[in-house]
């Protein structure tokens, strides 16, 4: 369990965050364990007595009742977010470089024109992470059937970013950093 | 299994190796298993889909169903079906 990096604080309101480095050899087992350590840290910060997060049959993490959460990891860092009482939470940490071709694939023309730098305030990596975080949160709702994360539409109003799909929507917060983009979606 | 399907699967594996920068991981992924459950991250999956557009000369539809993208088998089946 490690302290939350200052750069990730206050990414979204009313949430608790935990992080944990992924130790060598940085493989799937180490990433999974780091994710659970990060989740335990986030649950502790949120005031949960229960701090274990088993894995559901479909692979999703099962957070304690009342402490809705989400986990994401790279091969070096795991991060977890808990938002007590939230209907759904999604978090994503994205370290990869997103090529212009990939950006064109995952972003609609309107998203590229209004959100993507230089016209908009976000990098392609930020928006990739935003769609992934929103996908995790919206997938938790269980009402949208199967869909793909890039089929979510992003829009911005008054400085706030919203993700929408199938008549449902969720606000998304983005925290860009030099070596990764962090995004969290919380629906209350 | 037709020669075409075998060839498409082989080419998809080559593209996946390119996406991952080496064959060590891809060799452990069976044709029928979920790429996501096998550990293929979203960025790599999208890179694979983009590479498939170039390699096979088609564009993915905006409303493609998730099950089409599930595995090497399902991806190859989509390409073979497009070729009629």
């Amino acid at each position: 369990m490690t302290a939350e990096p200052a750069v990730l604080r206050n990414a979204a309101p009313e949430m608790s965050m935990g992080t944990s480095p992924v130790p060598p050899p940085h493989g799937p087992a180490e990433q999974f364990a780091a994710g659970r350590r990060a989740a335990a840290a986030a649950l502790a910060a949120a005031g949960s007595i229960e701090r274990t997060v088993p894995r559901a049959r479909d692979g999703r993490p099962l957070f304690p009742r009342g402490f809705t959460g989400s986990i994401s990891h790279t091969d070096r860092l795991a991060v977890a977010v808990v938002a007590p009482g939230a209907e759904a939470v999604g978090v994503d940490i994205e370290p990869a470089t997103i090529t212009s071709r990939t950006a064109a694939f995952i972003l609609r023309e309107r998203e590229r024109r209004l959100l993507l730098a230089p016209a908009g305030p976000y990098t392609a990596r930020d928006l990739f992470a935003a769609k992934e975080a929103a996908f995790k949160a919206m997938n938790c709702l269980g009402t949208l059937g199967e869909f793909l994360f890039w089929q979510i539409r992003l829009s911005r109003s008054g400085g706030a970013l919203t993700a929408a799909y199938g008549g449902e929507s969720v606000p998304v917060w983005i925290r860009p950093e030099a070596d990764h983009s962090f995004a969290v979606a919380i629906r209350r | 299994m037709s020669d075409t399907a075998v060839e498409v699967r082989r080419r998809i594996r080559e593209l996946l190796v390119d996406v991952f920068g080496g064959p060590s991981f891809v060799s452990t992924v069976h044709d029928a298993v979920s790429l996501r459950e096998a550990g293929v991250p979203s960025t790599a999956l999208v890179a694979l889909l983009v590479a498939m557009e170039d390699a096979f000369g088609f564009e993915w539809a905006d409303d493609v169903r998730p099950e089409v993208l599930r595995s090497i088998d399902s991806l190859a089946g989509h390409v073979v079906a497009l070729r009629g």
Side-chain angles (χ1 to χ4, degrees):
Chain A
M1 191 181 306
T2 63
E4 166 188 330
V7 293
L8 297 182
R9 283 187 200 130
N10 303 318
E14 301 175 52
M15 70 169 206
S16 297
M17 178 180 293
T19 66
S20 181
V22 177
H26 313 293
E30 292 78 20
Q31 293 170 26
F32 178 87
R36 264 45 187 185
R37 287 193 296 273
L43 286 165
S48 174
I49 297 171
E50 178 58 59
R51 294 170 189 174
T52 58
V53 180
R55 190 176 194 173
R57 290 182 64 182
D58 64 2
R60 278 186 277 190
L62 291 174
F63 281 80
R65 183 179 297 275
F67 292 87
T68 314
S70 180
I71 300 171
S72 182
H73 56 73
T74 68
D75 62 358
R76 292 294 188 273
L77 177 68
V79 59
V81 165
V82 169
E87 182 181 9
V89 175
V91 65
D92 189 59
I93 181 168
E94 186 52 66
T97 299
I98 305 299
T99 65
S100 58
R101 182 74 187 280
T102 296
F105 188 92
I106 64 160
L107 299 173
R108 295 166 189 271
E109 188 278 332
R110 181 180 174 82
E111 293 169 329
R112 296 197 299 273
R113 178 163 45 84
L114 298 177
L115 300 176
L116 192 60
Y122 305 111
T123 66
R125 191 178 64 191
D126 294 340
L127 298 174
F128 194 109
K131 287 203 176 192
E132 278 272 50
F135 176 81
K136 288 183 180 178
M138 298 175 91
N139 212 23
C140 287
L141 300 174
T143 58
L144 294 172
E146 288 197 35
F147 61 105
L148 298 158
F149 77 93
W150 59 84
Q151 293 170 335
I152 289 170
R153 296 180 185 225
L154 296 173
S155 61
R156 191 167 181 250
S157 177
L161 195 64
T162 299
Y165 178 82
E168 302 283 1
S169 65
V170 61
V172 186
W173 293 264
I174 296 174
R175 180 61 61 97
E177 299 299 335
D179 59 352
H180 65 262
S181 294
F182 169 82
V184 60
I186 301 176
R187 176 158 147 158
R188 294 195 175 274
Chain B
M1 188 184 303
S2 70
D3 289 346
T4 302
V6 171
E7 173 59 22
V8 170
R9 283 184 180 82
R10 186 190 64 77
R11 185 71 183 114
I12 290 172
R13 284 190 170 277
E14 289 177 350
L15 297 173
L16 202 49
V17 168
D18 291 343
V19 165
F20 272 90
S24 57
F25 168 76
V26 179
S27 65
T28 67
V29 179
H30 298 289
D31 286 344
V33 304
S34 162
L35 293 171
R36 294 305 303 267
E37 290 173 13
V40 176
S42 297
T43 46
L45 177 60
V46 173
L48 173 65
L49 299 179
V50 170
M52 285 181 65
E53 288 186 342
D54 294 339
F56 298 113
F58 74 99
E59 286 191 4
W60 291 101
D62 287 343
D63 59 353
V64 61
R65 299 303 307 158
E67 59 265 27
V68 173
L69 313 183
R70 182 180 183 278
S71 66
I72 292 173
D73 264 350
S74 62
L75 289 167
H78 182 74
V79 173
V80 171
L82 286 176
R83 291 177 167 183

